[in-house]
Each structure stands twice: as structure tokens, then as C-alpha cells.
Amino acid sequence: MGSLLSRLGLECGRKAVKEEERHLRANDRELNLSYKYSDNAIKTSKYNIFTFLPLNLFEQFQRLANAYFLFLLCLQSIPEVSSLPWYTTVVPLVLVLSMTMAKDGSDDMNRHRCDKQVNNRQVEVLVEGELQSEKWMDVQVGDIVKLENNQFVTADLLLLSSSEPLNLVYIETAELDGETNLKVKQALTVTGKLEDSVEKLANFNGEVRCEPPNNRLDKFTGTLTLKGETYSLDNERILLRGCTLRNTQWCFGLVIFGGPDTKLMQNCGRTTFKRTSIDRLMNVLVLSIFGFLMIMCLILAIGNGIWEYQEGSKFAAFLPKGVNAPFSAFLTFWSYVIILNTVVPISLYVSVEIIRLGNSFYINWDRKMYYPKNDTPAEARTTTLNEELGQIKYIFSDKTGTLTQNVMTFNKCSINGKAYGELLDFSGQRVEINEKTEKVDFSWNNLADPKFCFHDNSLVEVVREGNPEVQAFFRLLSLCHTVMPEEKKEGELYYQAQSPDEGALVTAARNFGFVFRSRTPESITVVEMGELVTYELLAVLDFNNVRKRMSVIVRSPEGKLTLYCKGADTIIFERLNPSCSNLTEVTTLHLNEFAGEGLRTLALAYKDIDPEYMEDWKLRHHVANTAMDEREEKLDALYEEIEKGLLLLGSTAVEDKLQDGVPQTIEQLSKADIKIWVLTGDKQETAENIGYSCNMLREEMNEVFIVSANTSEEVRKELQTARRKMTPDGTEEPTVKKSRSGLFCLQKTETVADEPVNGEYAMVINGHSLAFALEKDMEIELLRTACMCQTVICCRVTPLQKAQVVELVKKYKQAVTLAIGDGANDVSMIKAAHIGVGISGQEGMQAVLSSDYSFAQFRYLQRLLLVHGRWSYLRMCKFLRYFFYKNFTFTFVHFWYGFFCGFSAQTVFDEWFITLFNLVYTALPVLSLSLFDQDVNDWWSFQYPQLYTPGQLNQYFSKRAFVYTVLHSGYSSLVLFFIPWAAMYDTVRDDGKEIVDYQSFALLAQTCLLIAVSIQLGLDTHYWTAMNQFFLWGSLSVYFAVIFTMYSNGMFLTLTSSFPFIGTARNSLNQPNVWLTMLLTSVLCVLPVVAYRFLRILLWPTINDKVRYKVRQDKVLPPTPRRVQARRTSTRRSGYAFSHAQGYGDLVTSGKFLRRTPKSRPALFSQTDSPLAQTQPQFYRTISEREEPPLSP
Amino acid sequence: MMKEELETTNRPDNTAFTQQRLPAWQPMLSAGIVIPGFVLIGLAFIGIGVALFITSQNITVLEKDYTGVETTSDCYKCSNPSDKNCTCKLEFSLSTLFEGPVFFYYGLSNYFQSQRSYGASKDEYQLSGDLDYFKTPISACSPYQYDANQNPIVPCGSLANSMFNDTFKLYQIVNGTKKLVPFDGKGIAWWTDYNIKYRNPSVTPLKNAFNGTVKPSFWSKPAYELDTSDPSNNGFVNQDFLVWMRRAALPDFRKLYRRITEGDYARGLPAGNYSLEIAYNYPVLSFGGRKKVVFSNVSWMGGKNQFLGIAYLVVGSLCVVMSMVMLIVYAKFKFPEDD
């Protein structure tokens, strides 16, 4: 479904006259047509049969490379200039053009098919008082259409009426934003009255005035004028094209935007093209190569001018010339442009695309990145960014759903001084719990949640024995919360919790025999060990961020009043009855242990209340609750008063389940010198907790700085203090390196240098402070401090801030960034980063839709980067280095020959060789190098994540490497020209006949060249698969087969003028001195490289060489050392965390949202005036991840 | 426990190719290969170098310039281009036997047969005997495509037009009398050129094929009269013409003129005095060119060329030296101790 967005072409939003305001009247086609609004037909295809060829060619020639080759072709058609026959350019150009054309053509065919299918969908339209079935494309603005359940919304509609009460409709927006949960829309009451009466609808003549077409999915402004009255319209009344109607029998809508004007279509085609840094470097290089080419041509042209002046004019007896020296030089310049164009052959671009595509396929094919649980393979959604995966320096990760599974599990608890949840074997050793560990059998409890699992049987035994403390513990959990139950079928309970933590706790109580069954504003019904008990709910002392606790006061059927309280350990401990001090100590030990394991803890306590005191308190509570001013403070004081002298029950430990392998992945990535920043919308405690549990924050760190200030000045001060602590003798002013980059050096870049830090530090900054810190004058301060830290966690950040942080690092670090996330709130940063990764296979699809790569589990990131990314980068760099080497060598030989042919642009090679060199003789070997090569295999890549660092430093391909390549090919070309020159000088065949004729020399030079570059390829290949061997030897054999064929009698006799080299191969390849010359050139080209590399490995070994050496040393893979999860038993640290900010206890007691029948459950969403509707989570999805408006500092 | 059947339709194939686990050979530049390799290559090269050098040393070459630049030269008198049908003499003596078979070359210097437009200025179709191209030669031949009267030139083009036209006669002076050394002009061109690439039109007599055409302006006689005595050496398959048409790659070149293989000279040129009579027709002084004659014998490695032997010796020695250097470096920095 999501593919609709992606396959939309560029057709969107083309309009000659800008529409100011849309005006339409229902059922008045005449008026509406007069505005010439577009109808509902969409056209995403680009071409039709007739326009395909010209349009596609036109588009293709807009690409610089293609245009350049067209220009060359034009040059070649001028006889005075043409130094090469037309086919040398035409053959590759036609090949490239036709390949692209075939791809574009098939893409467009698909688009045509989709368009046709979409345009021909049927919908019922009200025409002249009757409902008629019409095609989508015939629907006009102002028509009234009828939608039925599960139908796609035809166009952007104003909802008029629906089958559901209160004129509600439910829609699914998966195709629009990827979210699969249902959303509610509600019609105006005045239009709702139309119901499904065709007569009324046909007479409806409301006039709509609204905004012009735009791409904002979440906003709509307009008015409906009906019978002189004006009603305002907002997004609540609009059904957008692309949505699907769900749980609604029918609805009627008025078409407001059709076809290309719909928000769906307006939203497409915005995709920004991401380019890799290699791409940008290549652009610069290609440009400088052009410059270089021009210089070479200029030198040769000047040479030609001088030659013509000194020699040519006198040589005129044998070669009359019609032109003077300067003009000849001018013509020669262009002739050489043609000949030397091989420095940037068209095949470079094609090959680069093929390599990227191939490496993308490897990602799609990787079974180790396939997640069997939801059948999701990894996907490279963008095929042009692969090599950048090998250069990542900063990773920005979302937390919920990315690092964590967003599943909370009740893992351990401590009740009355005894800890449960740990499995010990006979010797008292801790048993690691995994999927195979036997689970506790809850079959005795028929209301138990089957998905709940717990491994410690002793707890069940205790609870079934009737231990009063344990029972009280679970009773508390079943009473003290704000969860809503839902019982669709008898015994099938469904909990809707505001935060997953609460859900987990209540579910735990449920499984241990304290089943929270139902609630009313005044009561809570619990099944306690099979017995139905109803408690009277007297008060809910709600949770908030300051209190960090919540309590309920209930009256049991026996009339006993009890206050149950759960909250942060530190807070609870302050309010305990002194008699609990012993228990507190033991519990603290347990809490430390839990916190050390990264579990989220809550302390539980209770207190029996005197009924008389309660009466009094209740009165005061009522007064406070109805007070007009300072209500909050008064209530807080009351709560404080009653939550005192509590008796400790124990503590719970909930695991915010990390995805598998997250700490290991993070460890691996940080070994690869990749910095990971966590950007989360979660609360600080939660974020910190996760930081600890996935090893990003460690107890042994020197310090964890927490930046949470309320003013700009304070934030600055905190940042500075942190920085000074990390580098006491560092400079105050940042070291900013200014440089220029990009084409023509037009881009100014500022790079903030990395600063050395002693020790390990971490920083946690909250969204409020971040808002200040991201301001222009403080951003560098933030960046400096943050970059010194090992770990940076930003919590409570908005989606916009996420993107801003990414942009900040991109701007001042000139480093490659990657953002990974799963939800809609991560889209902005996924788009902002160089590479966006989406976690797929979960509810939301939006992150995946805007990502470049997607896979199901965070841990696959290390494989994506350390294996695929590294290899892609390595391969691309090898390819580029080799490719430039090969072509520069090829071209330079022509340059040298210029001095021996009167600078006449005479090619030194056979024209066919020039045509086929890049296309046939060297294409496949170099492709196989860049598709199969690996320095070490994936196992070793994981073993030595340090292998990743050369990519971050651009070590394999840079301007420097390019210059080396050019110098190397300069040397090679000298060898390849002057050795044959000297070896053949004045010599003859062994039968005295000619051997230094042009054709023989050309054959010798080209064979030497091909052999030399082939051997060089062999030297560059580290991983010789059968394919490499086959292609390399195959290409050489093909070369010899081709020359013997082309220089054969038959070819000459059929195409005399095209194959003038007849007999050359036979006559010169039987000469020993020819072969000796080839041997000499090959050895001279290759041995210096071998010697240099050998010495370099000895003297300055890179990490790469070392690992390769090590691989050689131990061929047999040593067993992977079993990773022992380090347990931290250290300084007291509260493991308290709770994922929601503010409870909705008042709603529970006011009963506002209990007024619903089970059938109309989703109606809950429509009550937009209640805060609940906005914060209502989908089952266990935390609400804290929801989008917040950007903070305005 | 319930065993869940997982749907795995999207699971990628498990092949060595898709999983990038293709079996592969992963060579490394280790000391065990590189250093002995250098030594072996070095020794082999020195061996080849010695063989080449000795072979080259054993080849005898006699080179004589006869451009006539120096006033002392007999050919000085012919260096004025206006002087037609000039003959000059070049005398030399051999102290020992010049071992045969001896090849007699003419050489030209600073002569750009490698010039692009010069090389392109010929008509392959015409030269392969296609009569259509006798009437309309291709435009690449211009300005030697048509003469002033619009008659097609056959063979057309600069390359054919500028054919070398000095002729030589070699005499041995035996007791004051001149004894003609017989020249063998057969089979001096490539077999493929003679038999396949160049063909006369199948018209007899050959002259008729050339009706309506004119000879190249520099030529003294038309193509069908190049060797009237031998029809198989006439027209486009004339050996001298073929040799000339195989254009040289470099501005200094030599071309085979005749072989000395017959009669008393089958074993070579005996010691004694020789006189070379040159019909000096070909002007080269205008563009600073030089003309020479070369007597040479050949070996298995072709003509005399010192370079290849010396290059092999130098490269071989460098390899050996390099292997020493690498050995020392290797001994000092044995890679890698750490880890």
C-alpha cells in the first residue's frame, strides 16, 4: 500500500496560475467546472507511446555526462576534427541510453498500469438526484460521493454524514502516513442531518470556501456556507484520498480536491536526493579531470601549432595542408578532446550505478539481517548510498521501538525482603534466562494472560500458599493504577494502559491471581484468587513528575480503609513508617541489584487509614478540589499529608525490554569509533535507565553531565562547566577550520575540530535545554561539549529538535551521519541525516517509508555498517582508484604518442580497441572486483570493528589518493609507451620484414596496456572467487579472440574500411621480441607496486593489513568468547522510571471515559476536548513518544 | 508448548553468492612469496638480458647517410631538388665477411608517416581492387583525390603519392671492376598485404582498369607500370609499393628494400670494397629529413636493438637489489610483532 506514495511521479503540483482560494458549491457542476479545477483523474506516468522516445532522450541528455558524450559525437562528425570514427562514442552511448531507456520505460509502464487501475475504480456518485456508479477519474470537484466500508477514499472529501452515531467515521491512514491505527473523523451536525437520504443530499447546496491545494496533511481551513449560515471547517471534517474507510457502513462526502490537487498527490515528489560524499568528491574530481583534460589538449594543440610551423609546413610536399598553423592547432585541440575523453568514460557512471545496485542486493539478500519472527528481510530502499554506510561517524538513534522492543515485562520483585524472579541452579549459581527456560505454569488461573511469562516458580507457590504480604503486594498492583479494562468476551481481558509499565504491573498481578476485572468511577472489581471482590474507590492521588508516585484509597468489602501507594524508591522511602527500617535496608539492596541490571523499579507501600480521619480528609479534599485558586498546591499538600507513615511492601522491577543484542551492537559500534547519540521523546529517567541497560552510560564513567536548565544563560553555563571539566586546559575558543568545498568551491564549510578528552564522560540533556542550546549563538558550545562525551542522550526532544541536532552535527563536523528510528516522530531526523534507517515490521510504516534502509532489529545495524557498509565503501574506493588508474594510463599513452605523430591526434591504439577497452575488455573484471572483493570476511569484520575507521577518515579514496593514482598511471603510461618505443626502435622482424609499422606498434602498445592493467587488477583483488578468475582470464582471452577475429581475412573482405588491421596480429604476435617487450612492460608496471605495497605493509601496516595477517595466521576460527553480561553492583542509583508523565486519575474518578458501551469503543477518540483522547495510547504504545509542539524558548 | 509455524516467505535464499560466502583464494603479499619472487624474476631477467644482449651484439649493421648534407658527400650534388635524374655514389669497404642473409633497408628520419591525416589519406577499397573507387576515390584522399582536371587519381592519397622512389644498385669492386650484387625484391612485404589486403582489379591487361584515371602527381610512371617485367609484382601488389604503404609508427623508420641472398652473396657480403649507386629522386631536405641506407642481418629477436637486452639486465639487477632491500627491511621490522 505504501508504495503508492513512492511511485508517484513528478507530476504533482504543476499549475500555471496559483490558486488563491478554492470555492465550490455542492451539486452545482456548472459553477464548479467554471473554475477549471482538476478532476479526479491522476497521472503519475511521464510518457505515452509518442512522447516516450523524444521526452526520454531529452531527459537523458539533460544529464551532464550524456550531454558531454553527445557533444563529443558532434565533434566527431566534423571531418577536420574527427580523430576517431563515430562508433567509438556511439556504441557505448547507445548502450547506456538504451539501458536507461528500458528501465524508464518499464517503470512508466508500471505507473500507467497503476494509474489505470486507480482511475478506473468505481465509486457511487450522486448525479442528478440519483446514485450512479462512476469511475474515479470522472468524479468532479463539488460532487457528492458515497463511500462504503473498506473502500478507499476517492478524493479529498468534506465529510457530510455517516452511518455511525454522532456522524463519526473511522479511517485508516496507512497509505498516507503509514500508521495503522484507526482515526476518527466527525461530520458537522448540520450536514450530518442529511444522513443517507438521496433527496436531501441532492438538494444540498452548501458552498465551500477553503485553502488552495497544499500538502499539509494535518491542517485544513475553510468554511461551509449553508442557508446563509457559515460553519468553520477543519481537518476533523476532511477525509483524505489514500485513506480507507473502516468500521463504518457508509458515509457521504463532498469532493473538495480532486486528483492532482489532493493532499496525497501534493505530498509526493518531495523526496530530496541524497548524494554520497564519494559522489560529491567524484563531481569535484570529474571537474578537475576536465580541467586537466583541457590542459593536456592545450599542450598538445600548442605542440601541434609549433610542429605545423616548423615541420608540417615544410612537409607540405608530401602532405599538403589547407590551413595555417594556428587554425590547425585549434582543430587539433578538439581532436584531442575526442581522443583523450577516455579519462572520464561514460562507463564510469554506469559501473558506479551497477556496483551500488549489486551491493544493495546483497543487503536485501542477507539472511543474517532477516528477522524470522515477522518475516522481514532487510531492504535497501535507496540503492545509491551504499558506500556511505562505510563512513558513518555519528549515529542518532531513537529509543522506543528502536533500542527497546517497547514491551515492558514484569521481571523481578522483592516482597517483604525476599527477592523473586531469579533462577538459581543447584549450586546457587545464577541461571541465565533465555527463551528455552521453563516458564511458570499459570493454568490454575483461568483469567491469566497467556503471553505473560515468568520463570521463578517460588513466587507462585508463595502466593498460592496465601502469604499475606505477597497477596497484599499483588492486591496493591491490581488496585493502584489507572488502567482501563476491556472484556470483549467473557474471560478475555484486555488492558488499556497509559504507559506500558503500568500494563506490565497490572498484568503481573492478574497472572498471580489478582485479576483486575473492571472499574467504575467509584469502584474497582478484582478477582482475588478466584474470588470476586469489589473495592470502593475513595480517591486517586494521581501520578505526576514531581510527586513521582501515585496512591489510591479504597475501602474493602469488610470496610477496611487502605491507602496503596507506588512510586520512586527514594520518594517512598522518605515516607515510610520508621518501623520498616530493617525491611528498607534489604529492599534497598534488592533495588540496587535491579537498578544495576537496568530494570525499572518502583517501591510499593500501603497504610491503613482511620475512617474518621478519612472523613475529614475527604472533606478537605473536596474543598481543595473545588478551590478556584492554587488548587494544585492545595491538593499536593493534602496528598503529602496522607501519604505518610507508609508500610513498605516491596518493590517491583520491570524490564523495558531491550531488543536482542542492543548492548553488544552499541559496544561494537563504539569500538568502530562511531558515536551514538540517543534522541528520545522519553523522560529523562527512562532515557537514563536505557542508557545504563544498553551500556552507553556506565558506572565507571568519570561523570555523567545532566543539562536541564530553564534559561539560556544557565544552559550555557552548564555546558561550559561540563566542557571545562573534561578539558581543564583546553582552549576557550573552538578550533574552527574554514574551508571551501563542492563544485567550484562554492560551498563554505566550517569544521569544528575534535578535542582530546581524558576519561569517559557522558551527557544527558533535555529538550527544554536543547531548545536554548540549539540557538545560533550556543550551538557550537553544545556541539563541542557533546562531541567530547562518549555518550549523548537527549531526552524529551521534539521531532523537529531531532532533525536540528542532526543538522548541527552535519554542519560543523563534516561527518557522515546516520539516523535510525521506527516512528513517525523520527521521520524528520531520518530525512535530515545522510542515511536514514527505519525499523520495519512494526506498527508504523512512516519511518520506513522515508528511510533509505530498513530492517527489523536494531542489532542488524552493526552488520549493515561493519560488514555491508565497509565492504561497499572498500569496493567503491577500489573500483574508483582502479578505474581512474586504468583510464588515465590508457589516455596518457595517447598523450606521449602525440610527440611522435606531429601532434596530429593520431590514436596510438586501434580504434576498435578504444571502443571496446572499457566496454568489453576491462568491464567485467573490474565489476567482479567491485562486487565480490572483501578484505576479510564478515566474521573478522565483527571481530575487529576498528577496521571500520579508515572509512570515516576517507582513507581509501580522497583527493590525495586520486593524485597518487594519477601519478601511478603517469608512470605506467611512460613505461607502456616508451618501453615498446625503445624496444621496437629501428628493429625488424626475424625475417627482416617490417615490425615498427603503425599497426604493429598499435597492437603491441594496446596489448601491453591491457596486460598491465589486468595484472594491476589482480594485485588489487584480495578475494579471488571463481568469478574473478573467470572474468579476468575470460576478458584477456576475449581480447585475443577479438583481435584475431578482427584482423582476420574474412572481416577485412566483408568490411574493408572498418578493419584495416588485417594480418597485424598474425604478423607481430609470432615475434619473440614483441612478447619480451610485453613481459618487460608488465614487470616494470607491476613490480614497483608490489615492492611498495610489501614495504608499506612491513613499515606502516594499517589495521587492515594487521587483521589480514592475523586471518592468515589462524585459519581456523577460534570460538567466539561467550559474552558475560557485566553486572554492575556499585553506587546507589535509583532505577525508578515511569514512562508516562501525568496520570489521568481525575478522569478515572470523574468517570468521563467510562461512559461508553463496549461496541462503540473507538468513539473515545472523538472527544477531542478531553486530554485523554489526545493521549490515548494504542494498547502498550507509550504516549510519551507522541509529537510535541516545538518548544518556544 | 505450542510450536509456532513461522511464515518465512520473505527469507532470502541461502546461497554462497547471495550470502557473499563464495569460496575464494586470498593471496597476501607475504615475505615468503615476494622476496623469492623478486630474486627469481631478477635472475630470469638477467638471463634473458644476457641472451638478448649477446644476440644483439652479434648482429652486424652498416648504416650510411646519403642525404647529401655535407659537401664532402657525393650525394651533395643531388640535394638540389630541381636536379632531376641525378645519380650519386656511396662507397664503403668491409674488412670482414658481412654475414648473410643480408637485408638492405632504406631509412628516413623526421618523416611523419605517423601523422594522422597522412595515414588516413588512402582508399582501402581502391587498393583492394574495387573499380567503383577507381572512379570516385574516397574524400580522405583529398587533395590527392582528383587532379586539376577532375580525373580520379589511382592510387589516391598522400601516402601513395609520396612513395619512396630512390633506387639503388650495389656493386662490389673486385679488382677495379664493378660486380653487381644481385638484389632479391620478392617477398619483402607482409604475406597478408601481398595476398589479401592489396589486390589488383581482375582486368587484363591491368592497364585497362586504369582507364580514365591518372597516376599520382609525384609518380614518374603509373601503378600498372611499376614492374612491367613481372605481372605478380605490378600494380597494387608491387612489393616496394606494399612496403611503403605499411606506414611507420615513428618519425624515424627504415623500410626493407631488398634482400641479398643470391649467388656469391648467399653467405653474405664478403670483405672488400663496395659502391652503391643511388638514383637520387626523393626530396627530404625541405623538411629537414634524412635518408640512409642500412645493411643488416637479423637474429631470432629481429634486427639489432641493444635496448631490450640492456633493459632486461637493468630491471633484473634492480629486482635482485630490491629483494635484498626487502629482506633487510623484513628482518628488521618483522611484521607484526604486536597483537
Side-chain angles (χ1 to χ4, degrees), chain A residues 121 210 561 783 799 1019 1056 1165:
Chain A
R121 280 185 191 154
C210 67
L561 284 174
L783 188 80
L1019 271 186
T1056 302
F1165 297 103

Side-chain angles (χ1 to χ4, degrees), chain A residues 1068-1108:
Chain A
S1068 65
L1069 291 183
N1070 61 3
Q1071 293 299 305
N1073 56 351
V1074 166
W1075 287 101
L1076 284 173
T1077 309
M1078 290 178 196
L1079 178 66
L1080 185 65
T1081 52
S1082 312
V1083 161
L1084 267 178
C1085 280
V1086 170
L1087 282 195
V1089 181
V1090 173
Y1092 166 73
R1093 289 196 185 169
F1094 177 76
L1095 290 177
R1096 204 212 59 219
I1097 290 174
L1098 275 183
L1099 298 174
W1100 306 282
T1102 60
I1103 172 75
N1104 225 294
D1105 301 323
K1106 286 182 188 165
V1107 174
R1108 266 161 57 82

Side-chain angles (χ1 to χ4, degrees), chain A residues 155-199:
Chain A
D156 288 358
L157 305 176
L158 168 67
L159 179 61
L160 295 178
S161 62
S162 97
S163 59
E164 303 302 294
L166 298 174
N167 304 315
L168 294 175
V169 294
Y170 305 108
I171 52 166
E172 189 186 279
T173 57
E175 202 165 317
L176 213 54
D177 59 12
E179 312 238 343
T180 48
N181 55 342
L182 295 187
K183 297 198 175 70
V184 180
K185 302 278 175 173
Q186 187 179 26
L188 288 171
T189 326
V190 62
T191 60
K193 285 180 196 145
L194 300 169
E195 293 184 334
D196 59 343
S197 148
V198 173
E199 204 176 314

Side-chain angles (χ1 to χ4, degrees), chain B residues 5 62 296:
Chain B
E5 261 320 304
L62 181 72
S296 169

Side-chain angles (χ1 to χ4, degrees), chain A residues 41-61:
Chain A
I42 56 161
K43 181 167 161 287
T44 59
S45 56
K46 280 197 229 166
Y47 320 109
N48 62 37
I49 289 184
F50 303 104
T51 59
F52 177 66
L53 203 67
L55 219 68
N56 185 267
L57 282 180
F58 177 70
E59 271 175 21
Q60 289 205 46
F61 283 119

